[in-house]
Amino acid sequence: NAGVMQNPRHLVRRRGQEARLRCSPMKGHSHVYWYRQLPEEGLKFMVYLQKENIIDESGMPKERFSAEFPKEGPSILRIQQVVRGDSAAYFCASSPPVGPGNTIYFGEGSWLTVV
Amino acid sequence: AQSVSQHNHHVILSEAASLELGCNYSYGGTVNLFWYVQYPGQHLQLLLKYFSGDPLVKGIKGFEAEFIKSKFSFNLRKPSVQWSDTAEYFCAVKDDYKLSFGAGTTVTVRA
């Protein structure tokens, strides 16, 4: 049973380019989360999605960032016109349908470097 | 909204020493509490979790944590650390669906 799969693991982008990070949840999980970890900081919640729905995007920057979780295929975190401050590790997590007792499982992360 | 506070930013220990990492949370509802570990360059791994029942929770790799409701605390302990426990440790609290993390504690174990 594969875990949460993220790709690419490492991504280098020049300032102004677009970054796309992909996440396939664990089998049977219909809920996806994106977290960002900046250097020397903890994990910050960005967005919570179910299939075809954004449930909570309170942690997403207002501009340049978007996320989707289509009916078919992986969840995508898209960062347009990247800046150096976007350099971070982006972790995807998934869980079964919502319940307080459900554990959230994390992927191995995608490290974005903006040069 | 919930928040999580980890008391120590960086802890340095010698092998075989005992470890205790503090974690306090603020959340008015029923809490689910977690400790995750992140080894250098790797993803988060679940060490242990508390949902209900016995407030003393045992996890993997010899770790345990105690939920003290009156103190809003969920401290992590290990009686005797090893060099391989060098990592960053995150306390997290979950409401209905969202995990909120503390800032993390970096633990360095010296051989």
Side-chain angles (χ1 to χ4, degrees), chain B residues 27-41:
Chain B
Y27 180 58
T30 301
V31 291
N32 302 136
L33 298 159
F34 303 79
W35 276 96
Y36 285 85
V37 61
Q38 185 180 29
Y39 298 103

Side-chain angles (χ1 to χ4, degrees), chain A residues 19-92:
Chain A
R20 284 191 178 221
L21 310 177
R22 287 174 289 278
C23 169
S24 296
M26 286 179 71
K27 187 176 181 181
H29 288 189
S30 55
H31 298 246
V32 165
Y33 308 76
W34 286 94
Y35 284 80
R36 177 164 65 174
Q37 185 178 31
L38 293 165
E40 307 298 321
E41 295 186 20
L43 286 92
K44 303 297 183 186
F45 169 80
M46 299 181 75
V47 63
Y48 164 53
L49 311 104
Q50 298 176 22
K51 287 280 187 181
E52 300 184 280
N53 284 305
I54 297 174
I55 307 302
D56 182 344
E57 56 181 348
S58 58
M60 289 280 271
K62 296 288 183 244
E63 298 177 345
R64 302 188 297 107
F65 284 71
S66 62
E68 63 176 10
F69 189 18
K71 186 176 181 181
E72 301 291 338
S75 174
I76 307 285
L77 179 67
R78 182 182 177 203
I79 311 171
Q80 294 177 290
Q81 299 174 327
V82 296
V83 301
R84 288 223 170 108
D86 296 333
S87 295
Y90 292 84
F91 288 94
C92 174

Side-chain angles (χ1 to χ4, degrees), chain B residues 19-32:
Chain B
L19 172 70
E20 180 161 1
L21 303 181
C23 172
N24 286 91
Y25 65 92
S26 63
Y27 180 58
T30 301
V31 291
N32 302 136

Side-chain angles (χ1 to χ4, degrees), chain B residues 32-92:
Chain B
N32 302 136
L33 298 159
F34 303 79
W35 276 96
Y36 285 85
V37 61
Q38 185 180 29
Y39 298 103
Q42 295 188 26
H43 66 295
L44 281 85
Q45 299 176 40
L46 181 66
L47 271 179
L48 48 79
K49 59 187 177 184
Y50 172 79
F51 291 156
S52 63
D54 189 344
L56 185 60
V57 180
K58 294 196 182 297
I60 62 171
K61 304 179 188 245
F63 286 90
E64 64 178 30
E66 185 174 13
F67 169 55
I68 303 179
K69 189 175 181 179
S70 61
K71 295 184 178 180
F72 297 90
S73 70
F74 190 56
N75 292 354
L76 181 72
R77 297 193 291 254
K78 185 169 183 177
S80 176
V81 296
Q82 302 172 314
W83 178 81
S84 58
D85 292 323
T86 294
E88 190 152 17
Y89 293 80
F90 293 95
C91 181

